[in-house]
């Protein structure tokens, strides 16, 4: 064991690895650890997501009203969601897709369609996989993985225009961006910074995906960026097949072995010939069976504390999307919710101590209950007041005020 950990550590210290985390040290498997009946999985319609249903009134008048303000009611999440939207419009306004844009929008130079001639040196799939990952890390991604695009990951209809989606790219590149450990240690899971944490990752992953897609088109291959407010694909199956995590108790969420659920993701789909990664197995199915911390802490009781069920071809824990949406949209004492992110034992900084604990959780099943107990004992699920840097503010009727119940658990 000490030798395996030392080798893990030595690899981490080598400067020629582009990835911030030792993903190469994980056990790779042929299929995701969640059982998937590929033939039974139905493509989803993005218009039926919890947020879209709240926005059109399916979940009641109060949530419909709150939907228009639940992110912009805090000035920082408001600024971030506005800029993410600008990026989405920037892509949409040109062609509805960033694959083949030709029109000018807003006086900006047009995005390019795939160049007529393929760039020299782009024929080797293994070399291109490494190059594309290095490019994404250069753009400040925290984790990157590649898979073939599962056909069932493509939405049937887009939420913006309601049009049927026809996307036949062969590959998908998953891009993860951390929501920030220090901020996560300072919040209680559902106070006034929660939506800003989501949208800083959404915005930054959107930027990386848009630049990467434009770069691939300039190399001579079709590519499209998929990001918050502009997805044509469901992200979880792509992250699973690309070896970026396993499905967890939180439901339709993929958990990364070194970030936990503390990230948001964007995707680039493309026909650039590129080597794929394999799914990973770091023992999460067993860990989540024993842990249940997110189920206990979820303010809306959306996360099950029982076993897995089969839903749409996946055998997994099924969270209650309506309850979760109700909490995130309707939270009156904060902006959004990430309590499950806050309390998850896998959401930790990448320090030598936490790295050693992480190695133990991944490799020694018998030590997992001890790790969960230690996590409780050290109080990682509690907010650290020294790490709080943001202002508790709420915009009401166009005016910012200090909310009456800042950060209170309700
Ligand atoms: S985001 Fe909040 S409400 Fe939704 S599952 Fe997580 S803890 Fe529960
Ligand atoms: S809190 Fe525990 S049960 Fe929930 S996702 Fe994290 S490891 Fe799994």
């Amino acid at each position: 064991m000490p030798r395996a950990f030392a080798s893990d550590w030595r690899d981490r210290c080598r400067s020629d690895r582009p990835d911030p985390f030792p993903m190469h040290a994980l056990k790779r498997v042929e299929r995701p650890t969640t059982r998937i009946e590929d033939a039974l999985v139905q493509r989803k319609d993005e218009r039926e997501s919890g947020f879209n249903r709240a926005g059109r009134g399916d979940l009641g008048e109060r949530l419909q009203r709150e939907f228009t303000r639940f992110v912009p009611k805090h000035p920082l999440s408001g600024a971030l969601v506005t800029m993410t939207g600008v990026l989405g419009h920037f892509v949409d306004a040109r062609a509805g897709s960033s694959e083949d844009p030709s029109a000018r929008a807003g006086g900006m130079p047009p995005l390019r369609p795939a160049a007529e001639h393929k760039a020299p040196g782009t024929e080797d799939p293994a070399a291109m996989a490494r190059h594309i990952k290095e490019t994404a890390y250069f753009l400040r991604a925290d984790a990157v993985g590649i898979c073939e695009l599962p056909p069932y990951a493509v939405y049937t209809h887009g939420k913006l225009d309601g049009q049927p989606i026809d996307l036949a790219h062969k590959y998908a590149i998953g891009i993860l961006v951390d929501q920030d450990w220090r901020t996560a240690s300072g919040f209680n899971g559902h106070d006034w910074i929660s939506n800003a944490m989501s949208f800083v990752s959404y915005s930054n992953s959107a930027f990386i995906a848009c630049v990467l897609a434009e770069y691939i088109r300039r190399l001579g291959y079709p590519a499209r960026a998929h990001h918050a407010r502009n997805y044509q694909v469901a992200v979880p199956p792509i992250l699973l097949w690309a070896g970026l995590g396993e499905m967890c108790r939180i439901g339709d969420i993929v958990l990364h072995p070194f970030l936990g659920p503390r990230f948001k993701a964007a995707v680039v789909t493309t026909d650039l010939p590129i080597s794929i990664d394999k799914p990973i197995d770091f023992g999460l199915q067993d860990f989540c069976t024993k842990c249940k911390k997110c189920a206990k802490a979820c303010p809306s009781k959306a996360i099950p504390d029982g076993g897995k069920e089969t839903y749409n071809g996946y055998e997994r824990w099924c969270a209650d999307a309506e309850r979760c949406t109700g909490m995130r949209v309707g939270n009156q004492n904060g902006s959004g919710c990430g309590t499950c992110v806050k309390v998850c034992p896998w959401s930790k900084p990448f320090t030598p101590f936490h790295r050693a604990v992480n190695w133990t959780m991944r490799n020694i099943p018998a030590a997992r209950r001890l790790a969960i107990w230690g996590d409780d004992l050290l109080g990682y699920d509690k907010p650290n007041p020294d790490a709080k840097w943001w202002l508790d503010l709420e915009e009401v009727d166009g005016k910012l005020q200090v909310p009456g119940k800042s950060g209170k658990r309700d």
Side-chain angles (χ1 to χ4, degrees), residues 89-109:
H89 282 300
F90 184 72
V91 171
D92 295 328
R94 289 148 187 249
S97 149
S98 55
E99 182 184 345
D100 189 22
S102 54
R104 280 174 178 269
M108 302 293 290

Side-chain angles (χ1 to χ4, degrees), residues 317-383:
W317 287 283
C318 293
D320 187 325
E322 284 192 17
R323 281 173 178 256
C324 176
T325 305
M327 174 65 199
R328 292 167 79 183
V329 175
N331 182 2
Q332 296 298 293
N333 300 333
S335 168
C337 180
T339 310
C340 43
V341 174
K342 167 78 183 176
V343 303
C344 181
W346 294 88
S347 171
K348 289 289 180 295
F350 201 59
T351 60
F353 170 72
H354 289 294
R355 189 139 186 252
V357 176
N358 180 290
W359 190 93
T360 308
M361 295 194 320
R362 284 189 279 123
N363 294 291
I364 307 181
R368 287 175 186 152
R369 286 196 193 278
L370 186 65
I372 296 160
W373 175 79
D375 204 78
D376 285 339
L377 190 72
L378 294 173
Y380 283 111
D381 53 349
K382 307 282 183 307

Side-chain angles (χ1 to χ4, degrees), residues 248-250 255 287-288 291-294 344-346:
C248 68
R249 184 176 284 281
I250 304 171
L255 190 151
F287 196 96
C288 280
C291 171
K292 305 184 180 182
K293 285 188 74 162
C294 53
C344 181
W346 294 88

Side-chain angles (χ1 to χ4, degrees), residues 129-140:
R130 182 172 174 95
H131 174 69
I132 288 298
K133 286 181 181 175
E134 297 228 27
T135 307
Y137 289 123
F138 167 74
L139 294 169
R140 302 294 183 267

